[in-house]
Amino acid sequence: METLSNPAPGQLFVHHVMFYLKNPKSEADRAKLLEGLNKMAKIPTIRMVHIGTPAATNRDVIERSYTYSWLCLFDSPADEEAYQKHPIHDDFRNNYASLWDKVVIYDSIGPKR
């Protein structure tokens, strides 16, 4: 059986974070968080990154109250762990955490395509 600590070889690691700002209507806070996310996108173990905002879709099952979505793909759980320990990630937490009220993280693994 595979687990996060023992994944099957060649599995993609997906890290998806939803940021809920304390002041979501503040353009300055939104711009500052975006600045931090763009800095974090330079961490070398990230295979692909997408920074998004809620789409204009409107169905009962869609969560749209977050400010930014941060989606990263990694080639392995080890690469994601290196990202977590990277100095840029530490700087992001230290310099931008005061902006958010809540963060929700979804991590998943699955086959590479």
Side-chain angles (χ1 to χ4, degrees):
M1 168 186 250
E2 66 188 61
T3 63
L4 182 57
S5 60
N6 187 23
Q11 286 201 319
L12 193 65
F13 191 101
V14 178
H15 180 64
H16 199 178
V17 184
M18 303 302 188
F19 291 93
Y20 298 80
L21 289 182
K22 290 178 184 175
N23 301 304
K25 294 184 181 183
S26 167
E27 287 302 319
D29 287 2
R30 293 170 67 91
K32 184 168 181 167
L33 181 57
L34 183 58
E35 166 195 275
L37 292 171
N38 281 315
K39 287 179 182 179
M40 207 165 42
K42 294 174 176 40
I43 296 174
T45 59
I46 298 173
R47 178 184 196 192
M48 194 273 318
V49 66
H50 176 268
I51 302 168
T53 57
T57 51
N58 190 16
R59 295 185 300 277
D60 290 341
V61 296
I62 297 174
E63 161 62 316
R64 299 185 64 235
S65 64
Y66 62 92
T67 305
Y68 283 109
S69 162
W70 167 257
L71 176 68
C72 298
L73 303 181
F74 299 89
D75 287 325
S76 69
D79 284 353
E80 193 273 342
E81 188 173 332
Y83 150 87
Q84 289 292 339
K85 295 176 180 178
H86 196 281
I88 293 174
H89 191 264
D90 291 340
D91 287 344
F92 176 76
R93 281 191 302 261
N94 292 333
N95 296 319
Y96 299 91
S98 64
L99 295 171
W100 59 75
D101 184 44
K102 176 173 84 167
V103 172
V104 177
I105 300 172
Y106 300 94
D107 286 341
S108 63
I109 54 173
K112 288 185 184 179
R113 299 234 180 244

